Amino acid sequence: MIAYIARRLLLMIPTILGIMLISFTIVQFAPGGPVERIIAQLQGLDQGASSRVSGGGADIGAQAQAQAAAGDAGSKYRGAQGLDPKFIAELEKQFGFDKPAHERFLLMIRNYATFDFGKSYYRDASVLQLIKEKMPVSISLGLWMTLLSYLISIPLGIRKAVRDGSPFDTWTSGVIIVGYAIPSFLFAIMLLLLFAGGSFWSIFPLRGLTSETWAEMAWPARILDYFWHIALPVFAMTLGAFATSTFLTKNSFLDEIRKQYVQTARMKGLTERQVLYGHVFRNAMLIVIAGFPGAFVHAFFTGSLLIETIFSLDGLGLLSYEAILNRDYPVVFANLFIFALIGLVVNLVSDLTYTWIDPRIDFETREV
């Protein structure tokens, strides 16, 4: 097993390098980089960037307006007419574009190997600091959504498998399919209208992870305040998240229940509960439980952007989206690197979870 883990860890290096190289290459051909954005600001044409950036972006725009001069800059950047070529060169140097692409890529990889992600182009903060500030929101949403969806889907899936074909199985399947078909952001909007000061009741807060006076509260009040704030966003995400795991649990149990060893256990006089939880459960839950790390990462990284926007939660999803809009490449590549690294580690953890649940599975004898 140690040799298998070592091989998997070594394979992560070329995998991450490949991901970063492909992404870096695509960005080189994507129009509208940070230099073009500053030029567009000068021309009054920058409509795509987020208004939430602060600090460095405003300073660069002010410097750009001060450097505008008559004449044609003869620059490779579209819309650079009327700007001093020296100012364009200064912009390129400030953003690191004065070096060839391969040098910039190698420098980025060398820095990322030590988790040095540099500073944001448009925010007066390091990229690592920005990620640390946004991490609690995304972790809260991803963790609680995954836990709740599993707490609902596993008992429900087992019940549906035991009562397969019954009216209970039929109507719960209908409810689950409807919940899965409706996007979570529609649930979020409905919950806002109903319970957050919309047309009906004002029970839950509209924004933020905690209240402004959270630091002054006692610990019990802090815990209640935290759950009060995340109740609606987590509920909205959970409604559309447990359908897949519910049907996976049901089908896994049905497959095991029909096997010969279950019939043998029943013939020995064991009760249905003993058969179900003493024999079937461990084998049937192998796929479901082993998929928990992957489900958490999926919810953590891909399921929160719209929810964060609707409930005004400043998390990693919103940070990544704004970084892409603003061409804030240090933030974009840092998020990509961290997401890829965590995803690869979680895949390894998922495989190891299989062996923890069922020791009969041995990856040591398999090729990676």
Side-chain angles (χ1 to χ4, degrees), residues 1 4 7 351-352 354-355 361-367:
M1 182 57 67
Y4 172 77
R7 290 198 303 268
D351 287 345
L352 297 180
Y354 279 103
T355 62
I361 298 177
D362 184 15
F363 289 105
E364 187 68 28
T365 58
R366 297 176 52 193
E367 294 293 331

Side-chain angles (χ1 to χ4, degrees), residues 35 38 60 63-64 66-68 75 77 84-98:
V35 176
I38 298 302
I60 293 173
Q63 295 171 11
Q67 290 287 340
S75 173
Y77 300 105
D84 188 347
K86 293 182 179 180
F87 172 67
I88 299 297
E90 290 176 2
L91 278 181
E92 290 182 330
K93 185 176 181 180
Q94 181 172 351
F95 290 118
F97 294 148
D98 57 328

Side-chain angles (χ1 to χ4, degrees), residues 97 209-210 253 316 347 355:
F97 294 148
L209 197 62
T210 56
F253 268 80
L316 284 178
N347 283 335
T355 62

Side-chain angles (χ1 to χ4, degrees), residues 14-29 105 108 333 336:
T15 303
I16 291 180
L17 286 176
I19 293 172
M20 299 303 296
L21 179 59
I22 293 173
S23 303
F24 185 85
T25 303
I26 293 174
V27 166
Q28 303 312 302
F29 295 98
F105 177 75
M108 180 182 70
F333 284 124
L336 178 64

Side-chain angles (χ1 to χ4, degrees), residues 39-368:
I39 295 173
Q41 285 180 339
L42 289 175
Q43 306 296 337
L45 301 175
D46 185 23
Q47 302 294 331
S50 169
S51 60
R52 296 182 58 159
V53 296
S54 59
D59 294 339
I60 293 173
Q63 295 171 11
Q65 293 179 0
Q67 290 287 340
D72 189 349
S75 173
K76 60 184 177 181
Y77 300 105
R78 189 173 63 180
Q81 293 81 4
L83 295 179
D84 188 347
K86 293 182 179 180
F87 172 67
I88 299 297
E90 290 176 2
L91 278 181
E92 290 182 330
K93 185 176 181 180
Q94 181 172 351
F95 290 118
F97 294 148
D98 57 328
K99 299 181 179 68
H102 68 279
E103 290 186 14
R104 287 186 278 121
F105 177 75
L106 292 176
L107 179 61
M108 180 182 70
I109 293 300
R110 186 181 67 182
N111 292 334
Y112 281 17
T114 58
F115 291 91
D116 178 11
F117 301 116
K119 291 191 66 174
S120 168
Y121 285 162
Y122 307 111
R123 299 172 187 250
D124 190 20
S126 68
V127 174
L128 194 58
Q129 182 62 33
L130 287 174
I131 293 176
K132 288 180 179 179
E133 291 176 357
K134 316 302 180 184
M135 190 76 76
V137 172
S138 297
I139 289 180
S140 294
L141 294 178
L143 179 62
W144 290 115
M145 190 215 75
T146 306
L147 288 175
L148 283 178
S149 64
Y150 268 70
L151 288 175
I152 296 172
S153 63
I154 291 177
L156 181 59
I158 294 174
R159 187 66 173 174
K160 286 172 64 63
V162 172
R163 303 183 62 177
D164 182 44
S166 67
F168 171 82
D169 180 42
T170 302
W171 72 261
T172 52
S173 295
V175 172
I176 292 172
I177 291 173
V178 171
Y180 182 74
I182 299 176
S184 59
F185 73 89
L186 289 182
F187 280 122
I189 295 174
M190 180 187 69
L191 292 174
L192 279 178
L193 292 175
L194 290 176
F195 303 111
S199 303
F200 297 91
W201 302 280
S202 180
I203 302 175
F204 295 95
L206 282 171
R207 63 183 67 248
L209 197 62
T210 56
S211 300
E212 294 181 358
T213 59
W214 186 81
E216 303 171 3
M217 299 177 181
W219 278 109
R222 289 185 181 185
I223 295 173
L224 291 176
D225 182 75
Y226 167 75
F227 283 108
W228 181 48
H229 278 77
I230 69 168
L232 292 187
V234 169
F235 184 64
M237 294 177 67
T238 304
L239 284 174
F242 70 92
T244 302
S245 52
T246 298
F247 287 120
L248 179 63
T249 302
K250 175 190 173 182
N251 294 333
S252 181
F253 268 80
L254 283 177
D255 184 59
E256 292 295 325
I257 288 173
R258 294 165 181 166
K259 289 184 177 179
Q260 184 62 43
Y261 76 89
V262 177
Q263 302 299 327
T264 303
R266 287 170 175 166
M267 292 175 62
K268 290 181 177 180
L270 298 179
T271 64
E272 283 298 314
R273 186 177 183 84
Q274 290 175 323
V275 172
L276 187 63
Y277 292 101
H279 293 75
V280 176
F281 185 84
R282 184 171 184 174
N283 294 327
M285 291 305 297
L286 177 63
I287 297 177
V288 179
I289 297 178
F292 179 86
F296 169 67
V297 170
H298 174 77
F300 183 41
F301 293 132
T302 64
S304 61
L305 172 57
L306 290 175
I307 298 299
E308 289 177 10
T309 303
I310 292 171
F311 289 99
S312 299
L313 298 171
D314 197 5
L316 284 178
L318 195 56
L319 175 66
S320 301
Y321 176 70
E322 290 179 349
I324 293 172
L325 284 184
N326 295 310
R327 305 300 192 268
D328 197 349
Y329 293 148
V331 177
V332 173
F333 284 124
N335 277 304
L336 178 64
F337 178 82
I338 293 174
F339 293 174
L341 180 61
I342 293 179
L344 291 172
V345 172
V346 166
N347 283 335
L348 175 59
V349 172
S350 296
D351 287 345
L352 297 180
T353 306
Y354 279 103
T355 62
W356 174 64
I357 297 174
D358 190 348
R360 295 173 298 178
I361 298 177
D362 184 15
F363 289 105
E364 187 68 28
T365 58
R366 297 176 52 193
E367 294 293 331
V368 179

